[in-house]
Amino acid sequence: MSVNLQKGQKISLDKEAGSTLTRITMGLGWDAIKTKGLFGFGGKTQSVDLDASCLLFDESGSPVDVVWFRQLKSKDGSIVHTGDNRTGAGDGDDEQILVDLTAVPASVKSLVFTVNSFTGQNFAQVENAYCRIINGADQKEVARFNLSVQGEHTAQIMAKLYRHGGEWKMHAIGENGSGRTFDELMPKITPHL
């Protein structure tokens, strides 16, 4: 059963999944903005380009690597972005980041997942926007964060996965921000490391 994440909530991914997680997927989904025409006819859709990113940090909180639409694979190959969706069209996840937790280098202490509106729409305008963590072994959803109800901002620090006591845990950060890319969120990310 999936956990609907609340800001600040911490969970054990293994406990929520019911087994040791070795592979996860961070899925990001949204719908294009629908506008109504005159008298409800002739409506159009406006493309929305949300971007998922994964930042890798070491023990001291220094950035080690980043996976995003301009770099689709981590240098070590443990994290892969499936590609940039610039419209939100289609069902299901529009972007995914695949993480092989067993292959993430031991020097990496935490992974931070962010979402940015590259085209500048705020999340209150974007319909059905969500982030979720999926167990890579059985494709079952472990946790979900609803972005559409979060307000008038253009970015969010979704969650941090971190090593603790030999397992991966997750902290649902849920901090709103502004910016078209992850680098504009760095001042808000560092306090959570």
Side-chain angles (χ1 to χ4, degrees), residues 54-66 76 79 104-112 160-163 168 186 189-190 192-193:
C54 179
L55 294 82
L56 293 74
F57 294 92
D58 65 15
E59 185 75 41
S60 67
S62 297
V64 176
D65 201 356
V66 64
D76 59 65
I79 302 172
V104 174
S107 61
V108 174
K109 168 76 173 173
S110 57
L111 309 173
V112 176
K160 173 177 80 169
L161 268 61
Y162 60 99
R163 297 178 199 264
W168 286 94
M186 287 302 283
I189 292 172
T190 50
H192 296 284
L193 301 174

Side-chain angles (χ1 to χ4, degrees), residues 41-111:
F41 298 104
K44 299 177 183 176
T45 59
Q46 176 185 357
S47 293
V48 177
D49 184 5
L50 297 185
D51 291 316
S53 302
C54 179
L55 294 82
L56 293 74
F57 294 92
D58 65 15
E59 185 75 41
S60 67
S62 297
V64 176
D65 201 356
V66 64
V67 175
W68 63 314
F69 70 89
R70 290 190 178 145
Q71 180 181 315
L72 297 177
K73 185 184 274 191
S74 60
K75 293 172 190 150
D76 59 65
S78 65
I79 302 172
V80 177
H81 194 300
T82 60
D84 190 17
N85 180 323
R86 297 180 183 170
T87 65
D91 293 331
D93 296 341
D94 294 302
E95 292 189 12
Q96 290 186 327
I97 297 177
L98 313 173
V99 181
D100 182 349
L101 294 169
T102 63
V104 174
S107 61
V108 174
K109 168 76 173 173
S110 57
L111 309 173

Side-chain angles (χ1 to χ4, degrees), residues 6 18 34 40 53 97 115:
Q6 304 297 318
K34 294 175 182 76
S53 302
I97 297 177
V115 178

